[in-house]
Amino acid sequence: MNKFIKEICNRIFQDCNVSTLKGKTILITGANGLIGGFLSDFFHYLNTQHSYDIKIILTSLSKNPKRIKHLINENNIEYHSQDLSIGLSVNKKIDYCFYCAGYAQPSKFLSDTTTTFFLNTSGVHKTFGDIYNKNKNARCIFLSSSEIYAMNETDSSHKETDLINVSLEHKRNSYIFGKIGGEMIVNDFINSGLDAVSARVSLCYGPGHLYDDARVMSDITRKAMSDIQTIKLFDDGSALRRYLHISDFIIMLLNISLYGKSSVYNIGGKEEVSIFEMASHIGKFFSKDIEKGVSDNKVSQSAPKRVWVSLERYKQEFGETNFLSFANGIDTYLKWFVNEFKGLQK
């Protein structure tokens, strides 16, 4: 575990009471991704630094999971390469499941729409069903997305109780409908007396993704670390975002997972910046120029102009969050990126 990941794990441990996880068996699907991978690191950190004796079961589709390769042979960890749209094949009694499987990168979920939809629907149904068959007291956490608000108005923050606008013509429907369907399945389990929750994730970023991650922040950073002097954006960069550092995200997710009383929560940031402002932070760090552009790129065209989720429900249960500032968060992210990937740039 490198120093950047360990520092974040220290912060999470200090700010969140996770003592209830001692001795538990935890399943993380999608463990080769940003969120699943970081949860894997954190639970391993609890074992090695605080003797939590957690049995950690990791799954992803990859037979060679680069993000978590350093964990595969560690004590109390087992890895399974599985296609969850077919079903889960783990013969263990699970106490907590974090369902992180599925594509979170727009370029991926736009290019593989059928798999995207079924991972978030039939995959959730089969995985949670298998877990509850072995342990009716298990707690299952589904990672949904703020993308479900993509067709709602953006003049105010989106609450969990808002009606969801949909359109059959939207380019991101496989992802949006998949997340809505996944939440519906979670609610069915809850209504049958089982323990589950959905977390609508919004714009999580930070150390822990793979080099070829295709989200806009990592894409711009990868270009900035190359020999390119001027980085041209897909569009004018005016879209507004409230990015959430991985440390704040994990703290909020664990609070919801361990102590949350509602069936669904928004998880997002507080500080609003434009895509251009975010890109300018990266440009300044690497001494590169950022140029606004106009493009018919299908990813940027279908992206919402503003992403803003209400955190009031979370605040009422857990109080104010001491968010890491965007300037500090992106600075540590960029330092990690250079440390992790220097030499790989073209």
Side-chain angles (χ1 to χ4, degrees):
M1 182 181 296
N2 68 43
K3 64 178 182 179
F4 297 96
I5 304 296
K6 188 173 182 179
E7 286 174 2
I8 294 173
C9 287
N10 284 335
R11 180 178 182 233
I12 296 167
F13 185 75
Q14 291 168 4
D15 288 0
C16 185
N17 179 8
V18 293
S19 59
T20 189
L21 295 177
K22 290 180 180 179
K24 302 298 185 182
T25 299
I26 300 176
L27 171 67
I28 303 170
T29 73
N32 200 42
L34 171 62
I35 293 172
F38 213 102
L39 285 169
S40 305
D41 278 331
F42 180 67
F43 295 141
H44 178 58
Y45 160 90
L46 292 178
N47 282 348
T48 58
Q49 302 298 312
H50 300 283
S51 303
Y52 263 49
D53 193 31
I54 299 169
K55 295 176 180 60
I56 307 168
I57 302 172
L58 310 177
T59 76
S60 80
L61 186 61
S62 176
K63 295 186 182 300
N64 180 29
K66 296 178 182 179
R67 170 62 182 84
I68 53 170
K69 63 182 180 180
H70 59 291
L71 298 176
I72 299 300
N73 296 316
E74 292 290 333
N75 292 333
N76 277 3
I77 294 180
E78 56 182 81
Y79 176 75
H80 302 268
S81 173
Q82 296 189 353
D83 181 353
L84 294 179
S85 64
I86 297 173
L88 178 70
S89 298
V90 173
N91 190 27
K92 293 286 176 66
K93 181 181 177 181
I94 306 298
D95 296 303
Y96 290 92
C97 170
F98 292 85
Y99 194 93
C100 309
Y103 304 128
Q105 302 171 47
S107 62
K108 288 190 175 182
F109 64 66
L110 284 169
S111 63
D112 195 352
T113 56
T114 301
T115 300
T116 294
F117 179 78
F118 284 113
L119 272 174
N120 285 293
T121 51
S122 62
V124 172
H125 186 262
K126 292 173 182 177
T127 300
F128 287 8
D130 183 80
I131 290 168
Y132 291 131
N133 284 337
K134 296 181 177 70
N135 181 13
K136 294 192 180 301
N137 295 316
R139 171 82 160 168
C140 292
I141 301 95
F142 171 58
L143 268 66
S144 185
S145 172
S146 63
E147 284 273 355
I148 69 167
Y149 302 119
M151 285 165 275
N152 285 33
E153 296 297 325
T154 58
D155 56 346
S156 61
S157 60
H158 303 304
K159 299 179 177 63
E160 294 89 345
T161 53
D162 286 353
L163 295 177
I164 303 299
N165 295 329
V166 296
S167 167
L168 294 178
E169 303 300 321
H170 200 280
K171 292 182 178 180
R172 299 189 177 208
N173 269 347
S174 62
Y175 188 70
I176 295 169
F177 286 5
K179 292 301 184 184
I180 292 173
E183 289 192 24
M184 183 197 77
I185 291 165
V186 168
N187 289 340
D188 282 346
F189 281 123
I190 294 171
N191 291 336
S192 65
L194 298 165
D195 196 4
V197 64
S198 297
R200 294 175 181 169
V201 183
S202 181
L203 299 167
C204 177
Y205 79 97
H209 62 71
L210 297 174
Y211 180 71
D212 61 356
D213 185 274
R215 281 166 282 212
V216 61
M217 184 183 292
S218 49
D219 182 59
I220 293 171
T221 304
R222 192 165 46 248
K223 291 174 181 175
M225 203 168 70
S226 73
D227 294 333
I228 299 171
Q229 180 56 43
T230 301
I231 299 159
K232 187 172 182 178
L233 302 182
F234 284 137
D235 54 26
D236 63 2
S238 62
L240 298 173
R241 301 290 184 260
R242 295 182 182 229
Y243 289 103
L244 179 67
H245 191 265
I246 188 72
S247 59
D248 292 320
F249 169 78
I250 297 293
I251 291 168
M252 297 176 77
L253 179 66
L254 289 173
N255 279 333
I256 288 166
S257 302
L258 301 180
Y259 310 110
K261 299 174 183 177
S262 297
S263 62
V264 59
Y265 294 84
N266 290 328
I267 303 183
K270 187 175 182 180
E271 189 177 349
E272 190 168 69
V273 298
S274 69
I275 297 292
F276 181 76
E277 289 170 330
M278 176 270 290
S280 297
H281 276 279
I282 298 171
K284 182 178 180 181
F285 184 91
F286 289 100
S287 299
K288 298 295 177 72
D289 302 317
I290 305 297
E291 180 181 326
K292 295 180 179 181
V294 177
S295 173
D296 59 357
N297 179 275
K298 69 176 184 178
V299 175
S300 61
Q301 270 195 336
S302 65
K305 297 302 181 186
R306 190 183 197 187
V307 179
W308 181 15
V309 297
S310 170
L311 302 178
E312 190 60 30
R313 174 173 289 181
Y314 181 89
K315 178 182 173 182
Q316 287 177 358
E317 288 192 35
F318 303 105
E320 291 282 359
T321 299
N322 183 24
F323 289 107
L324 189 67
S325 73
F326 181 71
N328 288 339
I330 197 168
D331 185 64
T332 58
Y333 164 70
L334 296 173
K335 290 176 180 177
W336 165 81
F337 196 103
V338 172
N339 180 77
E340 188 76 7
F341 300 125
K342 189 174 182 180
L344 295 180
Q345 72 272 27
K346 295 178 182 179

